Amino acid sequence: MFGPGVPAILSVVPDTFTFAWIVAVLFAAAWLLDARGYAAGRTLAASTWGLFGLFWLTTVPYFAFEHQSYVESILALVGVPACIYVGYLLYDGRASLFTLTRAVSIMLFVYLPFETIPAFTLAGVAVPEPRRVLIEIVADQTGFLIDLLGYAPERVANYEGYDAAFAWTLEDGHRMRINVVLACTGLGSMAIFGGLVAAVDGPLDRKLRALAVSIPLIYVLNILRTTFITVVAGNQYMQWQPELVLAMFGATDPYRVSFLVSDRIISQLLAVVALIGITYLVARQLPELVVILEDVLYVLTGEEHDLTEALDLPREPTNR
């Protein structure tokens, strides 16, 4: 997982997904202890936030050098001190941060099964990996939109062996393969909103409305994103400033320029904007969510904020 030059401390931590499962279980344990009135819950939660910061530190080399994503690398780096600070604030008495702790635990429990559960056989019936099912569904729907746009790439296996890649043959004979992987499914964003909605105290009908606003919208926008990237990269439509783009991402293959521009720059920046907009729409349906958003802003700015007034949200009872 870790290459040369990575700090030695990172070589002793578990692999990424084992580490994430440990964090999820510890957050859940802290949540249960706190719910039963044990002071140890606060100590465990604060300590686990520090561990979560170390987790994000271990992901930086992957995002920076393998995934070649500036946006995700920066977010991972920011996550290190942010998590440590959340742990400090929680231990120091900011009890509202337990809601964020619950949210992160739920997010991990939603996301990690898709990354870690293998295929298995139950009562003689072969059950595929959850990741394969989701990836191939997204590939099917991406392929449907590509066909509607009048393109006809060949459907081939991706590097995991799933029926989830598109092969394009360029005019010069070069063959481009665009893979659909788990990161292309929108699962991470859906897990975030699922965790946020589930963690706050609010009426079930408002929670269901919040999920009805966020999950389908994320899914549809994600299919549009995968279609956009596949068509642009497969046809080399964004070969803009190739030398500069390759230097920015430490890449050497000129055929990757359109992919890097469409995915790593345009799509990831637009995804941040889209998530902010979806967060606002969800908060309109579930004002109780504001308690988490205000805590996040406090962690980032060190100042208290009244988002209910600032965003003109409905004044429903919150879980403060």
Side-chain angles (χ1 to χ4, degrees):
M1 175 181 172
F2 305 113
V6 176
I9 188 174
L10 299 188
S11 65
V12 301
V13 301
D15 69 84
T16 302
F17 299 124
T18 301
F19 199 171
W21 272 116
I22 291 171
V23 170
V25 170
L26 290 177
F27 271 145
W31 170 12
L32 292 174
L33 287 171
D34 178 69
R36 285 165 172 73
Y38 292 106
R42 183 177 67 176
T43 303
L44 179 58
S47 301
T48 305
W49 274 104
L51 197 64
F52 199 33
L54 178 60
F55 166 80
W56 286 116
L57 182 60
T58 67
T59 67
V60 173
Y62 168 75
F63 287 134
F65 303 117
E66 294 184 45
H67 201 52
Q68 296 177 314
S69 170
Y70 281 103
V71 172
E72 290 169 310
S73 300
I74 292 170
L75 290 175
L77 281 172
V78 170
V80 177
C83 288
I84 293 172
Y85 187 45
V86 169
Y88 165 75
L89 290 173
L90 188 57
Y91 186 77
D92 198 45
R94 193 174 179 94
S96 60
L97 284 167
F98 261 110
T99 307
L100 180 59
T101 301
R102 292 199 300 271
V104 173
S105 179
I106 295 168
M107 292 173 200
L108 292 172
F109 278 111
V110 170
Y111 181 83
L112 289 174
F114 288 88
E115 284 283 14
T116 57
I117 293 179
F120 60 92
T121 300
L122 180 64
V125 178
V127 180
E129 308 97 314
R131 64 183 292 118
R132 178 173 196 149
V133 174
L134 184 57
I135 287 170
E136 291 186 346
I137 288 173
V138 169
D140 287 342
Q141 294 171 350
T142 300
F144 176 75
L145 281 186
I146 291 173
D147 290 343
L148 284 182
L149 293 173
Y151 297 95
E154 181 185 355
R155 184 77 171 267
V156 297
N158 71 0
Y159 65 83
E160 295 178 275
Y162 305 157
D163 181 23
F166 300 92
W168 304 76
T169 302
L170 305 180
E171 291 182 357
D172 63 2
H174 182 79
R175 196 167 164 84
M176 285 284 298
R177 186 179 68 171
I178 311 300
N179 296 287
V180 177
V181 297
L182 192 62
C184 302
T185 63
L187 175 64
S189 298
M190 290 188 284
I192 289 172
F193 281 94
L196 292 173
V197 170
V200 299
D201 294 330
L204 180 60
D205 63 333
R206 288 212 294 269
K207 288 190 173 191
L208 293 176
R209 289 203 304 268
L211 291 175
V213 166
S214 57
I215 303 303
L217 184 54
I218 290 170
Y219 191 83
V220 169
L221 290 176
N222 184 71
I223 296 297
L224 294 176
R225 178 180 72 95
T226 56
T227 303
F228 164 70
I229 294 168
T230 303
V231 170
V232 168
N235 291 277
Q236 303 285 277
Y237 285 152
M238 293 185 175
Q239 294 297 102
W240 303 338
Q241 299 294 325
E243 294 84 3
L244 175 60
V245 172
L246 291 174
M248 284 174 58
F249 290 93
T252 57
D253 183 359
Y255 291 102
R256 279 181 56 82
V257 171
S258 288
F259 173 78
L260 293 171
V261 172
S262 62
D263 181 25
R264 301 296 193 259
I265 299 176
I266 295 176
S267 293
Q268 290 193 357
L269 291 176
L270 288 178
V272 173
V273 175
L275 289 177
I276 292 172
I278 293 170
T279 301
Y280 173 73
L281 295 177
V282 171
R284 297 288 303 176
Q285 300 299 323
L286 187 65
E288 291 85 352
L289 188 67
V290 165
V291 69
I292 295 181
L293 303 180
E294 289 175 347
D295 274 339
V296 170
L297 282 177
Y298 181 81
V299 170
L300 296 176
T301 67
E303 298 179 356
E304 300 287 358
H305 297 267
D306 184 354
L307 289 181
T308 299
E309 180 176 347
L311 300 178
D312 191 28
L313 298 176
R315 291 191 173 275
E316 297 287 349
T318 70
N319 63 338
R320 292 176 186 270

